[in-house]
Amino acid sequence: MSDDVMQGLLFAGFGDQPAVDDRVADTELRLCTININRPSPGRAQRLADWLAATGCNAIVLTEVQAGPACDLIRTTLDAHGYLLQTAPGWRDQRFHTIVAAKGFRLDAVEPPGFDPRITAVDLSSAGGTIRLVGVYAPTNGMTPDSSQRRRAFQQQFTAYLADIFHPRLCVTGDLNVVEPGHRPHLPNFEDHDYAFYRGLLNLGLQDAYRNCHPDGTDHSWISPRFGSQRLDHALLADSSALSSCVYDHAPRLQELTDHSALQLVAGLTG
């Protein structure tokens, strides 16, 4: 059975269900993470409709830019009952990350991240609290300046996570790095990119996709020129309640964005 078919079986019905009600958050986290690739208003509406139909009770959107398309997505999610959080200063920066949640109490983590690319929240319900950190790390521009910016961000972000570490921490988003041993090998990534990934694991986080698929070969961004890459990740401090983690390629295949979505399900109780 192909990965795409298996993925469809695992998440069959997500698009047919109404948005989750408050009771779902008492039992499980249903997370969708997706890089929305700076959509036009027209594409943003289609993407917002797709997001609202997923049945997820937590959504992390990366590569978001302030403007009409962003406002449309925020308005649509708000209309479906999601609470939204962004980091301070998000309107004044080129990119930011949005966290949306339904069925949870949503509280901003203090201190906030050092860049609006990072949005950290505590999601609380009867099942406990999950600290969710959404991030859009700088892209690999394949220049010395790009490398320096990425390295500085990676080091600051790792230090920030160490400062706000939580037993039920979930870090997710477009990290713009691949794991060591990624297939295919991608020569444009540098030692500090792999060190960043290893550093997250050294904090005590586990790669949710790799946990569920030890030999999986999914990619979240497809490039004939630069090599297909698994750039979008979810890493958990506690994976004991993790039941599934898959890439949903429908948004990319439907040209809603150029990335696949990552979808994760984990229990909240026990």
Side-chain angles (χ1 to χ4, degrees), residues 45-129:
Q45 183 62 70
R46 294 169 54 218
L47 181 58
D49 292 341
W50 183 87
L51 289 166
T54 61
C56 291
N57 55 8
I59 296 172
V60 173
L61 306 180
T62 63
E63 198 173 348
V64 188
Q65 285 188 323
C70 171
D71 293 343
L72 190 154
I73 291 173
R74 295 174 67 93
T75 299
T76 300
L77 292 178
D78 177 76
H80 283 271
Y82 287 89
L83 302 174
L84 281 75
Q85 184 72 40
T86 44
W90 64 273
R91 287 193 179 275
D92 301 321
Q93 298 298 318
R94 184 180 182 191
F95 295 117
H96 64 277
T97 293
I98 294 175
V99 173
K102 185 172 184 177
F104 295 96
R105 189 178 78 242
L106 190 155
D107 299 297
V109 171
E110 298 293 339
F114 55 89
D115 189 303
R117 289 170 174 266
I118 303 161
T119 298
V121 302
D122 283 338
L123 303 180
S124 302
S125 72
T129 297

Side-chain angles (χ1 to χ4, degrees), residues 15 23 35 80 99 117 138 147 154 168 173 177 226 252 269:
R23 293 168 295 179
N35 177 316
H80 283 271
V99 173
R117 289 170 174 266
S147 180
Q154 292 163 356
R168 301 181 78 180
V177 296
F226 297 111
R252 178 176 55 79
T269 58

Side-chain angles (χ1 to χ4, degrees), residues 13-33:
F14 260 39
D16 299 326
Q17 297 175 4
V20 292
D21 63 31
D22 291 352
R23 293 168 295 179
V24 173
D26 291 342
T27 59
E28 65 183 17
L29 171 71
R30 295 168 72 88
L31 170 68
C32 177
T33 297

